[in-house]
Amino acid sequence: MREHLNADSYANTARMLRAAFNGLICVFEGSSDCNVYVAMFDLQKQVRYLCVGPLVMAVMRRLNGTATTGVIGIMDADFCRLEGNCPIEENLFVTDDHDLEVGLIFSSAFPKVVSELGSVEKVHRAMGNGDLSILQNALLKATTHIGSLRWLNQTNSLSLNFDRVDFSKFIDEEALIEDSERMCKLICQRSNKHGLIESAVRGVAANLAKAPSLRQLCCGHDMVEVL
């Protein structure tokens, strides 16, 4: 019930913004999305932004139901493409990859970030004599198993706690190799789900046996932490 009330209140806020000016209104999940997408719009058009958390689709559905114009929603795909249930709603756009961060890592902005913030020695060691795609793919591989566990957590409603995970406890910082069993054990223990460790390990392996697209499976936040 609370979700519906929040979606209705956000939709009403969007309608009030719509009545105040003729520019575009963008509905995002979080403030970090706003910071990135702002640079993609022409600010001369007086774009307004509304952050609604996980209620983007619900808000857009209500706005479309009342034929409210001039509003678009942008949300992360998360696992919807792997599950084949991406939302179809007018004026609602879903990221091409799992989330915004994955898209940024594989965008033209990534080389600049690496060159400005990365250690030349460490970047060279990670890439060898190859191009930046080696580092990008290494980040994907290093977060494949935790991405699979996140997917398992969502599909089975396991209520696992991924907040502030210490990646150094299960990822080799030199080789960027992920220890799947250690990762499952760590996250299950910190979630007080000790009895789920063995089934989590099996579930992670079962998900990976489906050969999912890694850019749909891996979470951009995890990739950034590893980077």
Side-chain angles (χ1 to χ4, degrees):
M1 180 64 71
R2 180 177 297 177
E3 176 180 333
H4 293 294
L5 291 175
N6 287 339
D8 287 334
S9 64
Y10 283 130
N12 287 333
T13 299
R15 294 187 189 99
M16 287 189 289
L17 286 173
R18 173 77 287 156
F21 74 107
N22 295 323
L24 180 67
I25 299 172
C26 299
V27 179
F28 298 129
E29 291 180 286
S31 57
S32 60
D33 296 329
C34 296
N35 294 334
V36 173
Y37 288 121
V38 157
M40 301 181 183
F41 293 103
D42 183 357
L43 297 184
Q44 298 300 320
K45 296 179 180 179
Q46 292 184 306
V47 179
R48 296 292 185 268
Y49 306 93
L50 193 61
C51 298
V52 304
L55 300 175
V56 175
M57 181 175 64
V59 171
M60 291 306 301
R61 186 167 292 162
R62 283 158 175 75
L63 292 173
N64 289 333
T66 56
T68 304
T69 61
V71 184
I72 66 170
I74 302 178
M75 60 182 286
D76 289 336
D78 294 329
F79 300 105
C80 75
R81 288 195 175 85
L82 296 181
E83 298 176 351
N85 61 0
C86 283
I88 300 177
E89 191 70 38
E90 187 175 1
N91 299 321
L92 175 63
F93 301 90
V94 180
T95 57
D96 293 334
D97 300 301
H98 180 96
D99 52 32
L100 172 63
E101 287 81 3
V102 176
L104 290 175
I105 287 174
F106 282 89
S107 75
S108 58
F110 187 63
K112 185 176 181 181
V113 171
V114 172
S115 64
E116 290 188 0
L117 303 181
S119 159
V120 174
E121 179 183 350
K122 290 181 179 179
V123 170
H124 177 72
R125 186 164 66 244
M127 294 168 49
N129 295 321
D131 57 27
L132 204 59
S133 65
I134 294 177
L135 177 57
Q136 292 167 323
N137 290 327
L139 294 175
L140 280 177
K141 291 180 180 179
T143 55
T144 293
H145 292 87
I146 191 172
S148 180
L149 185 60
R150 285 182 182 274
W151 187 17
L152 186 72
N153 180 60
Q154 176 176 296
T155 55
N156 292 277
S157 302
L158 300 180
S159 299
L160 296 177
N161 179 13
F162 292 88
D163 186 41
R164 297 181 180 178
V165 174
D166 186 351
F167 286 80
S168 66
K169 291 185 177 180
F170 57 88
I171 292 182
D172 185 311
E173 295 185 359
E174 291 295 325
L176 293 184
I177 297 176
E178 189 177 19
D179 187 323
S180 183
E181 292 189 16
R182 184 178 297 176
M183 179 271 298
C184 289
K185 182 177 181 180
L186 170 69
I187 293 179
C188 287
Q189 287 179 336
R190 74 197 303 268
S191 307
N192 292 319
K193 303 281 185 178
H194 300 78
L196 291 179
I197 296 175
E198 292 186 6
S199 61
V201 173
R202 292 194 300 270
V204 166
N207 276 344
L208 296 181
K210 302 173 186 177
S213 165
L214 296 188
R215 288 176 63 167
Q216 300 299 330
L217 177 68
C218 297
C219 171
H221 174 75
D222 295 339
M223 295 179 69
V224 171
E225 288 297 318
V226 173
L227 179 63

